[in-house]
Amino acid sequence: MTADLLAPLDLAFWNIESADHPMHLGALGVFSARSSAGGAHAADLLAARAAAVPGLRMRIRDVWQPLPTRPSLSSLRGLSSLSALRRPLAATLGSALGRPFGSALRGPLTSALRRPLAFGGAERETDPGFDPLNHVRLHAPVTDFHTAAGRLMGRPLERTRPPWEAHVLPGEDGVSFAVLFKFHHALADGLRALTLAAALMDPMDLPTPRQRPAAPARGLLPDMREVPGLVRGALSDAGRALDIGASVARSTLDVRSSPALTCDPSGTRRTAGVVLDLDDVHRIRKSVGGTVNDVLIAVVAGALRHWLDERGDGSEGVAPRALVPVSRRRPRTAHPQGNRLSGYLIRLPVDEAEPLARLALVRTAMDRNKDAGPNRGAGAVALLADHVPPLGHRLGGPLVGQAARLWFDVLVTSVPLPGFGLRLGGDPLGAVFPFAPLAPGHSLAVAVSTYRGHVHYGLVADGAAVPDLDRLARAVTEEVETLLTVCDP
């Protein structure tokens, strides 16, 4: 039985989770079926193929790990300075959450402490009793794939089994079916989830990737020639941590968001999807410059403006902080399991009335983030996970989860998809809508993918806080039409 310790960021995702805020990401793939039995056939194939995919047989369990695997000066200093930070941090959190700090954390922290004590650590191991039938489920025919997906996205994954599920949803029309994949963020990030899901699709003739040469064996003690580099690395890490912390503190000043983007959790979910023509997005980009990603983020800002004004919340003075995750994974990495993420934090110019001006503001903000790099700034908080000991992740998970609204207001993430077409049982995948986890205290998360010449927006919202998610989805389409009009009158 193979096992490996969870990377620090994976461990953070595992401990942040609560019943009202499950930490799984998802994707809803819609297939064209050649017969009414397409959905049932797809479920049989997924169950049969899952046993042959090693990553799908991995479960996560708590382990004894009282100290960091690689102790660092910054982590030890962090422990010694905890008491100095406790009072001001409690006051800040209490103010932001709108209630006393103790009552804000009592429920989540009590829940964390009631879990079997394992001194903070967790490891990923092969489940000896893995049964694919526990993970692949065929449902009765449905009329609306997104209605069914929203209900299923609100259900946490079973933590004692490999944390993933595939739900096959036959369409009542008899000519389509959908598959909703759910992967816990501690098991996979977006790229890893894509790899696992693609392994269940029909086999394709692809070139075999080149094998990277094995790293030379290392002794127990570092080579003395490496010591200056290690010292410089430690100092650099400490400076980066201070820079990120200061940036986070500055980002909480002059917060201009909307009450529509925050909520008390209801434990329910809604999902919606939008499909755009990628050629339209390129037309806008070529007219004004920037990148495709700049356009896609600006579309979110414009859609939020229309949506807030229409529902009566108003967009005047609103500029919510959007967290844009950035993958730090290298292509063909030798260790693909662990999350390797940083992020950019930008203000969405929802309060700007002119569409092209909104796009220009987004482009400027993203250029500024790229110039600074993904290792600095308020969006790079995820990098600090490497400096927290395992026990700190366990006890601090509820604190981090409750403090998410202090850091950002809405998640806008991009999930890469292959350029070639995928099939399941011979039936082609026509559309795929990615779904991001919804952070505690947030009412909306946005994920975007491009596939086969189209852009797919996947929207996830708290079911009680955003009953009109379909209206926001329509606003995305309307914003693109507006931009096309002003760019090519």
Side-chain angles (χ1 to χ4, degrees):
M1 180 183 297
T2 60
D4 62 284
L5 291 172
L6 259 64
L9 189 54
D10 297 347
L11 187 60
F13 288 136
W14 188 246
N15 285 295
I16 287 173
E17 183 173 62
S18 67
D20 287 336
H21 283 93
M23 285 302 298
H24 55 253
L25 45 86
L28 180 68
V30 181
F31 295 80
S32 297
R34 294 170 295 174
S35 72
S36 58
H41 181 50
D44 291 340
L45 285 175
L46 292 173
R49 294 171 178 176
V53 182
L56 297 180
R57 301 198 304 267
M58 305 302 288
R59 69 179 179 184
I60 296 172
R61 69 181 184 92
D62 294 331
V63 295
W64 172 283
Q65 192 187 359
L67 293 174
T69 303
R70 293 179 296 275
S72 65
L73 182 62
S74 57
S75 66
L76 297 177
R77 286 178 175 172
L79 289 174
S80 66
S81 61
L82 181 61
S83 59
L85 291 173
R86 186 180 296 118
R87 285 188 296 274
L89 180 60
T92 302
L93 284 171
S95 173
L97 296 173
R99 54 190 186 278
F101 175 64
S103 63
L105 285 182
R106 189 174 298 118
L109 188 56
T110 301
S111 175
L113 292 176
R114 283 176 178 170
R115 295 176 184 170
L117 186 59
F119 299 92
E123 69 178 11
R124 192 184 292 106
E125 67 172 7
T126 302
D127 183 358
F130 174 71
D131 183 357
L133 296 179
N134 290 329
H135 300 268
V136 179
R137 301 169 189 175
L138 176 64
H139 294 256
V142 300
T143 57
D144 188 312
F145 294 136
H146 279 287
T147 298
R151 183 178 68 253
L152 294 168
M153 283 295 292
R155 300 177 183 175
L157 293 166
E158 173 58 58
R159 292 171 68 93
T160 60
R161 296 199 297 249
W164 69 275
E165 291 175 351
H167 297 269
V168 181
L169 308 168
E172 281 193 346
D173 56 13
V175 296
S176 64
F177 66 89
V179 179
L180 174 67
F181 288 103
K182 294 166 55 178
F183 296 96
H184 199 288
H185 219 326
L187 179 71
D189 59 11
L191 185 58
R192 176 66 173 165
L194 168 64
T195 303
L196 293 173
L200 299 176
M201 299 294 106
D202 292 352
M204 302 183 65
D205 293 328
L206 297 176
T208 303
R210 292 179 299 171
Q211 296 293 324
R212 287 180 173 270
R218 298 178 62 91
L220 295 178
L221 296 176
D223 189 325
M224 292 305 296
R225 292 171 295 181
E226 298 180 3
V227 170
L230 294 174
V231 172
R232 287 194 299 271
L235 293 175
S236 176
D237 286 346
R240 183 183 300 119
L242 290 173
D243 174 79
I244 293 171
S247 298
V248 171
R250 289 193 297 269
S251 73
T252 63
L253 302 175
D254 189 28
V255 174
R256 294 178 295 151
S257 186
S258 168
L261 297 178
T262 60
C263 67
D264 292 324
S266 69
T268 62
R269 295 289 182 270
R270 292 179 186 272
T271 71
V274 183
V275 181
L276 306 175
D277 193 321
L278 183 57
D279 286 341
D280 289 341
V281 176
H282 279 300
R283 284 172 56 193
I284 297 169
R285 178 192 61 80
K286 291 177 181 178
S287 297
V288 299
T291 68
V292 166
N293 202 42
D294 295 341
V295 176
L296 298 179
I297 295 173
V299 166
V300 174
L304 286 173
R305 176 181 176 85
H306 299 315
W307 178 63
L308 291 174
D309 287 342
E310 205 169 273
R311 73 191 328 238
D313 292 319
S315 59
E316 184 178 355
V318 174
R321 297 159 300 175
L323 176 63
V324 182
V326 177
S327 176
R328 298 172 61 243
R329 186 192 302 281
R330 293 182 179 180
R332 298 179 181 177
T333 176
H335 301 285
Q337 288 89 353
N339 278 278
R340 301 290 296 168
L341 294 171
S342 183
Y344 297 143
L345 198 69
I346 72 168
R347 295 277 186 176
L348 293 181
V350 174
D351 54 348
E352 172 57 57
E354 173 57 41
L356 292 183
R358 282 196 298 269
L359 180 50
L361 289 170
V362 167
R363 179 184 176 186
T364 299
M366 288 299 291
D367 286 345
R368 187 183 304 117
N369 275 299
K370 293 171 187 175
D371 289 341
N375 295 330
R376 294 191 178 275
V381 167
L383 300 182
L384 299 183
D386 292 339
H387 303 282
V388 178
L391 184 58
H393 281 296
R394 178 182 180 84
L395 298 180
L399 171 62
V400 173
Q402 291 296 315
R405 69 177 69 179
L406 288 176
W407 179 23
F408 65 99
D409 302 297
V410 62
L411 180 73
V412 182
T413 184
S414 178
V415 182
L417 290 177
F420 49 84
L422 297 173
R423 291 178 178 268
L424 181 57
D427 295 327
L429 174 64
V432 56
F433 302 97
F435 299 135
L438 196 60
H442 291 183
S443 62
L444 176 68
V446 180
V448 191
S449 286
T450 57
Y451 176 71
R452 305 286 286 175
H454 291 87
V455 177
H456 298 83
Y457 280 84
L459 311 179
V460 177
D462 184 280
V466 188
D468 55 344
L469 186 62
D470 288 342
R471 179 64 197 96
L472 176 58
R474 289 195 298 273
V476 170
T477 302
E478 293 167 0
E479 177 65 9
V480 171
E481 293 172 349
T482 299
L483 283 168
L484 286 172
T485 300
V486 297
C487 289
D488 188 17

